[in-house]
């Protein structure tokens, strides 16, 4: 026994030395090793090393949506990002730079840092550009803009439509960029819209900087916008959830500004909404009672009522964690046909194919707003993360929290099961923004203010 222990210790020492040599060799070759921590994903890891998630995925033979396990080791290709254009949006047109502007915006933030800013005369670029993401083809891109592959290829003088690269910029004909209906008021330093074109099922950002403390209210697609005001009343952030099945069209954005004296000014613009380009899926469900539209609609109304409650304090920071370490096998927005019905329903979240009893973790800190067994979603937990952001964890085997509890990011709140309308054990995870169901993975992939 002692001999075996000594042999094991010797092997361990040899392994540690080898790992040190390996790490040194990888550093010399512009590579390093990263050990995955609980709650991390490829996007968060890439951000630490100033890389794209695609770079880390390619170095490890993965795709960006692959799940990671705590303790997993990843090769990090250092320096890759230096040879690639930055993924962060840049200012397209700056507001007039004046000494007052510099005094009102904190030193760490300038108008040049604000994406997609209007110039004071309301002008924007002449053409809309689409940035190619991982896994996209011209066919997938065309679905979003209701264009054919040939139309996009011809607009970009592409000899081979099959050759695309991540980060490539493509001109998209026929897309209307945001436009102001009039010049910005003198008190407005900058208005930014990100992205330039909104997509159904996605979350968009609007930001307004004012010279003096101002109260802002607004509306878009018949929604009352919830405005987060910071920086002594001069910075105003708005998160806009674009509902699924919003028709492709141009919609008015209206912002009403009120100063301390009660004077009001209107800022209005037009923004185009496009299709999400989601795929289709046919499913067979044995329990026809759970396919009744009135049952499904009643449950959605119940969730929307809770998700419409606005908490002024934010509990999340930057982006959300994944709620499970299991592989994802169904994505948000997929148009669904049940038992041969029309494709007029959609998958409202992301599914993780885990075994019954596997841990489900909170994607961010927040307050438990619901612990209930629903007809469609089965055992369900709903968290309020503040600023109108909610997450839902459904089909649970059991919930391990209670209404009113304050949970932390990564805390176990339940276990995977197959309750409700489910064809097998899995976690169904949703995100809602101000009462609108949106794509959860966008909240993992992107950093929100």
């Amino acid at each position: 026994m002692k001999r075996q222990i000594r042999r094991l210790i010797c092997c361990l020492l040899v392994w540690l030395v080898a790992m040190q040599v390996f790490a040194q060799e990888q550093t010399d070759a512009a590579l390093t090793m990263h050990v995955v921590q609980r709650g991390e994903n490829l996007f968060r890891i890439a951000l630490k090393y100033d890389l794209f998630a695609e770079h880390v995925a390619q170095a490890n033979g993965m795709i960006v949506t692959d799940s990671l396990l705590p303790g997993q080791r990843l090769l990090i290709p250092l320096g890759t990002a230096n040879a690639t254009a930055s993924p962060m949006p840049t200012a397209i047109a700056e507001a007039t730079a004046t000494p007052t502007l510099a005094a009102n915006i904190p030193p760490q933030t300038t108008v040049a840092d604000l994406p997609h800013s209007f110039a004071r005369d309301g002008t924007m670029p002449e053409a809309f550009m689409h940035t190619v993401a991982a896994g996209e083809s011209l066919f997938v891109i065309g679905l979003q803009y209701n264009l054919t592959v040939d139309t996009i290829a011809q607009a970009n003088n592409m000899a081979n439509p099959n050759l695309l690269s991540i980060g490539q910029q493509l001109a998209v004909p026929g897309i209307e960029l945001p436009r102001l209906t009039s010049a910005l008021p003198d008190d407005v330093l900058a208005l930014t819209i990100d992205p330039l074109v909104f997509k159904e099922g996605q979350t968009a950002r609007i930001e307004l900087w004012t010279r003096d403390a101002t109260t802002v209210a607004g509306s878009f697609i018949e929604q009352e916008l919830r405005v987060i005001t910071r920086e002594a009343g001069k910075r105003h952030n708005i998160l806009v959830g674009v509902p699924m099945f919003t028709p492709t069209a141009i919609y008015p954005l209206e912002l009403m500004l009120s100063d301390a004296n009660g004077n009001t000014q209107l800022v209005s613009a037009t923004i185009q909404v496009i299709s999400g380009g989601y795929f289709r899926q046919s499913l067979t469900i044995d329990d026809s009672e759970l396919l009744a539209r009135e049952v499904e609609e009643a449950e959605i109304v119940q969730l929307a009522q809770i998700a419409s409650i606005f908490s002024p304090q934010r509990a999340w920071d930057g982006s959300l964690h994944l709620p499970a370490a299991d592989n994802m096998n169904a994505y948000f927005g997929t148009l669904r046909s049940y038992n041969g019905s029309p494709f007029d329903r959609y998958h409202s979240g992301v599914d993780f194919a885990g075994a019954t009893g596997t841990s489900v973790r909170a994607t961010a800190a927040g307050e438990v707003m619901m612990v209930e067994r629903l007809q469609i979603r089965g055992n369900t937990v709903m968290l309020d993360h503040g600023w109108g952001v909610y997450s839902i964890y459904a089909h649970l085997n059991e919930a391990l929290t209670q209404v009113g509890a304050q949970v932390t990011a990564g805390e176990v709140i339940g276990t995977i099961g197959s309750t409700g309308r489910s064809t097998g054990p899995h976690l169904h995870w949703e995100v809602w923004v101000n009462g609108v169901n949106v794509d959860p993975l966008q909240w993992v992939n992107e950093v929100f203010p």
Side-chain angles (χ1 to χ4, degrees), residues 98 100-115 117 189-190 192 207-209 230-231 234-237 449:
T98 65
T100 305
L101 176 70
N104 279 276
I105 297 181
Q108 68 272 22
T109 306
T110 65
V111 174
D113 297 323
L114 303 176
S117 293
L189 302 178
T192 68
E207 185 169 71
L208 187 75
W209 285 89
R230 298 180 283 173
E231 309 291 349
K234 301 173 184 177
R235 181 183 182 184
H236 314 275
N237 291 98

mmCIF file of all heavy atoms in Angstrom, residues 98 100-115 117 189-190 192 207-209 230-231 234-237 449:
data_model
loop_
_atom_site.group_PDB
_atom_site.id
_atom_site.type_symbol
_atom_site.label_atom_id
_atom_site.label_comp_id
_atom_site.label_asym_id
_atom_site.label_seq_id
_atom_site.Cartn_x
_atom_site.Cartn_y
_atom_site.Cartn_z
ATOM 1 N N THR A 98 -18.423 69.696 -27.123
ATOM 2 C CA THR A 98 -18.265 71.010 -26.519
ATOM 3 C C THR A 98 -17.682 70.843 -25.135
ATOM 4 O O THR A 98 -17.706 69.756 -24.557
ATOM 5 C CB THR A 98 -19.626 71.720 -26.387
ATOM 6 O OG1 THR A 98 -20.436 70.976 -25.456
ATOM 7 C CG2 THR A 98 -20.335 71.810 -27.717
ATOM 8 N N THR A 100 -18.966 71.778 -22.408
ATOM 9 C CA THR A 100 -20.054 71.355 -21.536
ATOM 10 C C THR A 100 -20.260 69.858 -21.621
ATOM 11 O O THR A 100 -20.508 69.185 -20.625
ATOM 12 C CB THR A 100 -21.356 72.075 -21.926
ATOM 13 O OG1 THR A 100 -21.127 73.482 -21.916
ATOM 14 C CG2 THR A 100 -22.480 71.727 -20.976
ATOM 15 N N LEU A 101 -20.129 69.280 -22.832
ATOM 16 C CA LEU A 101 -20.281 67.846 -23.011
ATOM 17 C C LEU A 101 -19.270 67.100 -22.168
ATOM 18 O O LEU A 101 -19.596 66.169 -21.441
ATOM 19 C CB LEU A 101 -20.103 67.489 -24.491
ATOM 20 C CG LEU A 101 -20.130 65.998 -24.841
ATOM 21 C CD1 LEU A 101 -21.536 65.465 -24.652
ATOM 22 C CD2 LEU A 101 -19.669 65.786 -26.255
ATOM 23 N N ALA A 102 -18.021 67.511 -22.232
ATOM 24 C CA ALA A 102 -16.973 66.847 -21.463
ATOM 25 C C ALA A 102 -17.224 66.960 -19.972
ATOM 26 O O ALA A 102 -16.879 66.077 -19.198
ATOM 27 C CB ALA A 102 -15.612 67.439 -21.808
ATOM 28 N N ALA A 103 -17.837 68.042 -19.550
ATOM 29 C CA ALA A 103 -18.070 68.237 -18.126
ATOM 30 C C ALA A 103 -19.230 67.385 -17.623
ATOM 31 O O ALA A 103 -19.264 67.011 -16.455
ATOM 32 C CB ALA A 103 -18.371 69.705 -17.847
ATOM 33 N N ASN A 104 -20.173 67.055 -18.506
ATOM 34 C CA ASN A 104 -21.363 66.337 -18.065
ATOM 35 C C ASN A 104 -21.223 64.832 -18.158
ATOM 36 O O ASN A 104 -21.916 64.109 -17.461
ATOM 37 C CB ASN A 104 -22.582 66.789 -18.885
ATOM 38 C CG ASN A 104 -23.149 68.089 -18.364
ATOM 39 O OD1 ASN A 104 -23.927 68.092 -17.430
ATOM 40 N ND2 ASN A 104 -22.718 69.188 -18.951
ATOM 41 N N ILE A 105 -20.387 64.330 -19.045
ATOM 42 C CA ILE A 105 -20.198 62.896 -19.164
ATOM 43 C C ILE A 105 -18.948 62.524 -18.381
ATOM 44 O O ILE A 105 -17.903 63.158 -18.536
ATOM 45 C CB ILE A 105 -20.058 62.478 -20.639
ATOM 46 C CG1 ILE A 105 -21.363 62.801 -21.371
ATOM 47 C CG2 ILE A 105 -19.742 61.009 -20.759
ATOM 48 C CD1 ILE A 105 -21.356 62.425 -22.825
ATOM 49 N N PRO A 106 -19.031 61.500 -17.506
ATOM 50 C CA PRO A 106 -17.880 61.137 -16.677
ATOM 51 C C PRO A 106 -16.636 60.883 -17.510
ATOM 52 O O PRO A 106 -16.734 60.502 -18.683
ATOM 53 C CB PRO A 106 -18.356 59.846 -15.984
ATOM 54 C CG PRO A 106 -19.850 59.937 -16.012
ATOM 55 C CD PRO A 106 -20.185 60.662 -17.278
ATOM 56 N N PRO A 107 -15.431 61.076 -16.920
ATOM 57 C CA PRO A 107 -14.181 60.940 -17.675
ATOM 58 C C PRO A 107 -14.024 59.594 -18.359
ATOM 59 O O PRO A 107 -13.443 59.509 -19.423
ATOM 60 C CB PRO A 107 -13.112 61.136 -16.584
ATOM 61 C CG PRO A 107 -13.798 61.910 -15.514
ATOM 62 C CD PRO A 107 -15.221 61.484 -15.535
ATOM 63 N N GLN A 108 -14.566 58.513 -17.747
ATOM 64 C CA GLN A 108 -14.383 57.201 -18.345
ATOM 65 C C GLN A 108 -15.323 56.951 -19.522
ATOM 66 O O GLN A 108 -15.235 55.941 -20.177
ATOM 67 C CB GLN A 108 -14.596 56.099 -17.290
ATOM 68 C CG GLN A 108 -16.035 55.973 -16.796
ATOM 69 C CD GLN A 108 -16.323 56.876 -15.625
ATOM 70 O OE1 GLN A 108 -15.626 57.866 -15.418
ATOM 71 N NE2 GLN A 108 -17.338 56.538 -14.843
ATOM 72 N N THR A 109 -16.255 57.856 -19.780
ATOM 73 C CA THR A 109 -17.215 57.690 -20.873
ATOM 74 C C THR A 109 -17.245 58.945 -21.731
ATOM 75 O O THR A 109 -17.449 60.032 -21.220
ATOM 76 C CB THR A 109 -18.629 57.431 -20.325
ATOM 77 O OG1 THR A 109 -18.574 56.322 -19.423
ATOM 78 C CG2 THR A 109 -19.593 57.122 -21.442
ATOM 79 N N THR A 110 -17.020 58.792 -23.028
ATOM 80 C CA THR A 110 -17.130 59.912 -23.952
ATOM 81 C C THR A 110 -18.144 59.545 -25.027
ATOM 82 O O THR A 110 -18.512 58.385 -25.189
ATOM 83 C CB THR A 110 -15.771 60.217 -24.622
ATOM 84 O OG1 THR A 110 -15.406 59.100 -25.439
ATOM 85 C CG2 THR A 110 -14.694 60.468 -23.586
ATOM 86 N N VAL A 111 -18.577 60.541 -25.758
ATOM 87 C CA VAL A 111 -19.545 60.267 -26.817
ATOM 88 C C VAL A 111 -18.966 59.302 -27.836
ATOM 89 O O VAL A 111 -19.673 58.492 -28.422
ATOM 90 C CB VAL A 111 -19.981 61.586 -27.486
ATOM 91 C CG1 VAL A 111 -20.864 61.303 -28.688
ATOM 92 C CG2 VAL A 111 -20.738 62.442 -26.489
ATOM 93 N N ALA A 112 -17.649 59.346 -28.054
ATOM 94 C CA ALA A 112 -17.026 58.433 -29.008
ATOM 95 C C ALA A 112 -17.157 56.985 -28.560
ATOM 96 O O ALA A 112 -17.047 56.068 -29.366
ATOM 97 C CB ALA A 112 -15.547 58.782 -29.176
ATOM 98 N N ASP A 113 -17.390 56.754 -27.240
ATOM 99 C CA ASP A 113 -17.574 55.400 -26.736
ATOM 100 C C ASP A 113 -19.011 54.920 -26.897
ATOM 101 O O ASP A 113 -19.303 53.751 -26.691
ATOM 102 C CB ASP A 113 -17.207 55.324 -25.246
ATOM 103 C CG ASP A 113 -15.736 55.643 -25.014
ATOM 104 O OD1 ASP A 113 -14.921 55.246 -25.854
ATOM 105 O OD2 ASP A 113 -15.426 56.303 -24.009
ATOM 106 N N LEU A 114 -19.931 55.814 -27.203
ATOM 107 C CA LEU A 114 -21.333 55.455 -27.263
ATOM 108 C C LEU A 114 -21.679 54.915 -28.649
ATOM 109 O O LEU A 114 -21.470 55.590 -29.651
ATOM 110 C CB LEU A 114 -22.205 56.681 -26.950
ATOM 111 C CG LEU A 114 -21.932 57.355 -25.606
ATOM 112 C CD1 LEU A 114 -22.793 58.595 -25.463
ATOM 113 C CD2 LEU A 114 -22.198 56.396 -24.456
ATOM 114 N N PRO A 115 -22.201 53.686 -28.740
ATOM 115 C CA PRO A 115 -22.477 53.106 -30.057
ATOM 116 C C PRO A 115 -23.659 53.764 -30.738
ATOM 117 O O PRO A 115 -24.643 54.116 -30.104
ATOM 118 C CB PRO A 115 -22.790 51.638 -29.715
ATOM 119 C CG PRO A 115 -23.308 51.689 -28.322
ATOM 120 C CD PRO A 115 -22.575 52.817 -27.636
ATOM 121 N N SER A 117 -24.441 56.683 -32.209
ATOM 122 C CA SER A 117 -24.955 57.982 -31.777
ATOM 123 C C SER A 117 -25.448 58.786 -32.968
ATOM 124 O O SER A 117 -24.855 58.766 -34.039
ATOM 125 C CB SER A 117 -23.849 58.777 -31.069
ATOM 126 O OG SER A 117 -23.494 58.177 -29.856
ATOM 127 N N LEU A 189 -27.292 65.780 -25.124
ATOM 128 C CA LEU A 189 -25.905 65.671 -25.561
ATOM 129 C C LEU A 189 -25.706 64.515 -26.534
ATOM 130 O O LEU A 189 -24.891 64.609 -27.453
ATOM 131 C CB LEU A 189 -24.994 65.490 -24.352
ATOM 132 C CG LEU A 189 -25.066 66.601 -23.300
ATOM 133 C CD1 LEU A 189 -24.157 66.284 -22.131
ATOM 134 C CD2 LEU A 189 -24.715 67.948 -23.919
ATOM 135 N N ALA A 190 -26.405 63.417 -26.322
ATOM 136 C CA ALA A 190 -26.267 62.267 -27.220
ATOM 137 C C ALA A 190 -27.450 61.332 -27.063
ATOM 138 O O ALA A 190 -27.969 61.145 -25.955
ATOM 139 C CB ALA A 190 -24.971 61.514 -26.927
ATOM 140 N N THR A 192 -28.206 57.382 -28.271
ATOM 141 C CA THR A 192 -27.613 56.208 -28.907
ATOM 142 C C THR A 192 -28.624 55.074 -28.961
ATOM 143 O O THR A 192 -29.449 54.901 -28.051
ATOM 144 C CB THR A 192 -26.346 55.731 -28.160
ATOM 145 O OG1 THR A 192 -26.726 55.218 -26.881
ATOM 146 C CG2 THR A 192 -25.369 56.868 -27.972
ATOM 147 N N GLU A 207 -29.912 54.824 -25.058
ATOM 148 C CA GLU A 207 -29.271 55.635 -24.022
ATOM 149 C C GLU A 207 -29.340 57.110 -24.413
ATOM 150 O O GLU A 207 -29.107 57.467 -25.571
ATOM 151 C CB GLU A 207 -27.819 55.220 -23.811
ATOM 152 C CG GLU A 207 -27.149 55.955 -22.663
ATOM 153 C CD GLU A 207 -25.804 55.340 -22.285
ATOM 154 O OE1 GLU A 207 -24.848 55.485 -23.071
ATOM 155 O OE2 GLU A 207 -25.720 54.705 -21.223
ATOM 156 N N LEU A 208 -29.661 57.938 -23.431
ATOM 157 C CA LEU A 208 -29.806 59.377 -23.646
ATOM 158 C C LEU A 208 -28.982 60.115 -22.592
ATOM 159 O O LEU A 208 -29.074 59.814 -21.404
ATOM 160 C CB LEU A 208 -31.284 59.770 -23.530
ATOM 161 C CG LEU A 208 -31.668 61.206 -23.894
ATOM 162 C CD1 LEU A 208 -31.660 61.385 -25.402
ATOM 163 C CD2 LEU A 208 -33.060 61.529 -23.336
ATOM 164 N N TRP A 209 -28.142 61.053 -23.048
ATOM 165 C CA TRP A 209 -27.380 61.918 -22.140
ATOM 166 C C TRP A 209 -27.948 63.333 -22.244
ATOM 167 O O TRP A 209 -28.140 63.853 -23.347
ATOM 168 C CB TRP A 209 -25.894 61.943 -22.518
ATOM 169 C CG TRP A 209 -25.140 60.706 -22.140
ATOM 170 C CD1 TRP A 209 -24.975 59.576 -22.891
ATOM 171 C CD2 TRP A 209 -24.428 60.479 -20.926
ATOM 172 N NE1 TRP A 209 -24.210 58.665 -22.227
ATOM 173 C CE2 TRP A 209 -23.846 59.191 -21.015
ATOM 174 C CE3 TRP A 209 -24.202 61.236 -19.774
ATOM 175 C CZ2 TRP A 209 -23.068 58.640 -19.995
ATOM 176 C CZ3 TRP A 209 -23.421 60.691 -18.760
ATOM 177 C CH2 TRP A 209 -22.862 59.414 -18.868
ATOM 178 N N ARG A 230 -29.398 57.672 -14.140
ATOM 179 C CA ARG A 230 -28.176 57.658 -13.320
ATOM 180 C C ARG A 230 -27.399 58.950 -13.547
ATOM 181 O O ARG A 230 -27.856 59.841 -14.245
ATOM 182 C CB ARG A 230 -27.316 56.438 -13.685
ATOM 183 C CG ARG A 230 -28.003 55.100 -13.423
ATOM 184 C CD ARG A 230 -27.105 53.934 -13.793
ATOM 185 N NE ARG A 230 -27.054 53.708 -15.225
ATOM 186 C CZ ARG A 230 -26.238 52.835 -15.817
ATOM 187 N NH1 ARG A 230 -25.402 52.134 -15.101
ATOM 188 N NH2 ARG A 230 -26.249 52.676 -17.128
ATOM 189 N N GLU A 231 -26.188 59.006 -12.967
ATOM 190 C CA GLU A 231 -25.296 60.152 -13.149
ATOM 191 C C GLU A 231 -26.015 61.464 -12.856
ATOM 192 O O GLU A 231 -26.050 62.384 -13.692
ATOM 193 C CB GLU A 231 -24.717 60.170 -14.567
ATOM 194 C CG GLU A 231 -24.086 58.871 -15.036
ATOM 195 C CD GLU A 231 -22.799 58.543 -14.308
ATOM 196 O OE1 GLU A 231 -22.272 59.415 -13.580
ATOM 197 O OE2 GLU A 231 -22.322 57.395 -14.458
ATOM 198 N N LYS A 234 -28.608 62.656 -15.392
ATOM 199 C CA LYS A 234 -28.168 63.072 -16.735
ATOM 200 C C LYS A 234 -27.983 61.902 -17.705
ATOM 201 O O LYS A 234 -27.872 62.118 -18.909
ATOM 202 C CB LYS A 234 -26.865 63.863 -16.621
ATOM 203 C CG LYS A 234 -26.994 65.118 -15.749
ATOM 204 C CD LYS A 234 -25.655 65.773 -15.526
ATOM 205 C CE LYS A 234 -25.795 66.964 -14.567
ATOM 206 N NZ LYS A 234 -24.475 67.582 -14.265
ATOM 207 N N ARG A 235 -27.904 60.686 -17.184
ATOM 208 C CA ARG A 235 -27.748 59.502 -18.037
ATOM 209 C C ARG A 235 -28.999 58.645 -17.902
ATOM 210 O O ARG A 235 -29.389 58.271 -16.794
ATOM 211 C CB ARG A 235 -26.514 58.700 -17.639
ATOM 212 C CG ARG A 235 -26.288 57.467 -18.498
ATOM 213 C CD ARG A 235 -25.081 56.678 -18.001
ATOM 214 N NE ARG A 235 -24.817 55.521 -18.834
ATOM 215 C CZ ARG A 235 -23.871 54.605 -18.587
ATOM 216 N NH1 ARG A 235 -23.105 54.738 -17.510
ATOM 217 N NH2 ARG A 235 -23.701 53.578 -19.390
ATOM 218 N N HIS A 236 -29.601 58.306 -19.046
ATOM 219 C CA HIS A 236 -30.884 57.602 -19.044
ATOM 220 C C HIS A 236 -30.768 56.363 -19.932
ATOM 221 O O HIS A 236 -30.531 56.478 -21.133
ATOM 222 C CB HIS A 236 -31.988 58.524 -19.545
ATOM 223 C CG HIS A 236 -31.939 59.894 -18.925
ATOM 224 N ND1 HIS A 236 -32.523 60.199 -17.717
ATOM 225 C CD2 HIS A 236 -31.322 61.043 -19.348
ATOM 226 C CE1 HIS A 236 -32.296 61.469 -17.419
ATOM 227 N NE2 HIS A 236 -31.579 61.997 -18.394
ATOM 228 N N ASN A 237 -30.918 55.194 -19.328
ATOM 229 C CA ASN A 237 -30.817 53.926 -20.058
ATOM 230 C C ASN A 237 -32.175 53.255 -20.150
ATOM 231 O O ASN A 237 -32.954 53.263 -19.197
ATOM 232 C CB ASN A 237 -29.827 52.988 -19.374
ATOM 233 C CG ASN A 237 -28.403 53.479 -19.478
ATOM 234 O OD1 ASN A 237 -27.887 54.093 -18.546
ATOM 235 N ND2 ASN A 237 -27.759 53.231 -20.600
ATOM 236 N N PRO A 449 -25.877 47.433 -19.804
ATOM 237 C CA PRO A 449 -25.483 48.495 -18.873
ATOM 238 C C PRO A 449 -26.044 48.274 -17.479
ATOM 239 O O PRO A 449 -27.071 47.625 -17.321
ATOM 240 C CB PRO A 449 -26.087 49.745 -19.516
ATOM 241 C CG PRO A 449 -27.220 49.236 -20.351
ATOM 242 C CD PRO A 449 -26.782 47.906 -20.855
#
